[in-house]
Amino acid sequence: MTFLAIIIAVFVFAGTIKGMIGLGLPAVSMGLLTIAMSPFQAASLLIVPSMITNIWQLFAEGRVWAFIRRFWTLLAGIIAGSIWSFLPTLSQSHGHHSEILLGCMLALYGLYGLCVKKLPHLGQYERWLSPVVGYLGGAVTVATGVVIIPVVPYLQSLHLQRDELVQALGLTFTVSTFCLAFFLHHHPMQGITLDYRLSAVALVAALLGMWLGKKIRYQLNEQRFRRLFFMGLTALGLYMILH
């Protein structure tokens, strides 16, 4: 019962953050869940909530095919990186290396959000950067369960319009989640089975959190909340590294 309560509480909280600022569900849920369970088990719980919310984010604005044509090399890189990863994967590291790497990713993402005010415009290098960034993102996905660095900063450096950025993130997150689900299914960890019923419970909790987040979005100072969010991610990442 306590285990189920932890899952519900984490995904309601992570969903609330996503509802308020439009991101953070995988990073927050993975970071908090790995305090109580292995990264492999946490990643398996993340599959359904992440998949549903990312697909919704992808198709909300239409023009999906145009984004696929533009970012197909980025997506191909994510797939290649998840298949031929150069990092210790969730099933290989038995939790220790994955937890440290996830902590590093969360801390870097938090520091990036706090410190970087204006990114350079990398649009002119998009043709050759996309497959490289995609490969690194795919490798990080199967090593930590979360695709953050370097995909999110890279897409933001292309200076897309806000709706375009949200949709591009939805596209890359959807593909990386499919890759993660495929990887976890074909590389099971001894003693841990994927429980999609618990993942469905996590989905309901995440959707409830998103609903709550949208309700309170306009009652808070968004910039201040974003700052607190990135500070929290940095602290959580450092805790995982030191712990």
Side-chain angles (χ1 to χ4, degrees):
M1 186 65 182
T2 304
F3 185 71
L4 184 62
I6 291 173
I7 293 172
I8 293 173
V10 166
F11 278 96
V12 168
F13 178 66
T16 301
I17 291 176
K18 185 176 178 65
M20 284 192 282
I21 63 175
L23 51 86
L25 176 64
V28 172
S29 55
M30 276 294 294
L32 293 176
L33 287 173
T34 48
I35 296 175
M37 64 187 72
S38 73
F40 186 96
Q41 193 171 11
S44 69
L45 289 173
L46 184 63
I47 293 296
V48 173
S50 184
M51 188 76 71
I52 298 299
T53 55
N54 289 332
I55 290 175
W56 173 81
Q57 184 173 324
L58 170 60
F59 286 95
E61 300 294 330
R63 299 178 296 123
V64 176
W65 181 241
F67 279 87
I68 293 175
R69 283 186 297 176
R70 176 174 178 178
F71 294 112
W72 73 268
T73 56
L74 177 67
L75 304 179
I78 291 174
I79 295 170
S82 65
I83 296 173
W84 298 291
S85 175
F86 66 98
L87 297 170
T89 63
L90 288 165
S91 61
Q92 294 172 339
S93 61
H94 301 287
H96 179 65
H97 292 100
S98 290
E99 191 168 347
I100 292 176
L101 184 58
L102 177 59
C104 291
M105 292 298 103
L106 294 180
L108 283 172
Y109 188 37
L111 291 172
Y112 151 77
L114 288 171
C115 300
V116 177
K117 301 302 180 184
K118 187 175 182 180
L119 289 167
H121 199 317
L122 299 180
Q124 59 181 321
Y125 309 113
E126 181 180 343
R127 185 172 183 179
W128 65 268
L129 267 181
S130 283
V132 175
V133 171
Y135 174 78
L136 294 174
V140 168
T141 297
V142 296
T144 67
V146 179
V147 55
I148 300 176
I149 305 292
V151 173
V152 173
Y154 169 67
L155 287 175
Q156 291 179 322
S157 73
L158 298 180
H159 290 221
L160 302 169
Q161 297 296 322
R162 192 174 83 170
D163 290 342
E164 292 178 334
L165 177 61
V166 169
Q167 197 165 12
L169 289 171
L171 176 61
T172 54
F173 290 165
T174 298
V175 172
S176 64
T177 305
F178 270 113
C179 291
L180 179 62
F182 184 84
F183 171 83
L184 294 177
H185 180 74
H186 288 276
H187 299 82
M189 191 171 177
Q190 188 174 4
I192 298 177
T193 57
L194 304 185
D195 192 336
Y196 290 102
R197 289 175 298 179
L198 280 178
S199 196
V201 171
L203 170 63
V204 175
L207 292 176
L208 174 62
M210 289 181 67
W211 178 80
L212 291 172
K214 288 182 178 180
K215 286 287 185 181
I216 63 178
R217 177 188 297 171
Y218 299 109
Q219 299 178 20
L220 295 176
N221 183 298
E222 183 177 349
Q223 294 302 317
R224 182 176 299 175
F225 183 82
R226 280 179 176 268
R227 184 171 180 81
L228 290 174
F229 167 72
F230 285 117
M231 289 174 63
L233 276 189
T234 304
L236 180 59
L238 291 175
Y239 168 82
M240 294 177 68
I241 296 169
L242 297 175
H243 180 72

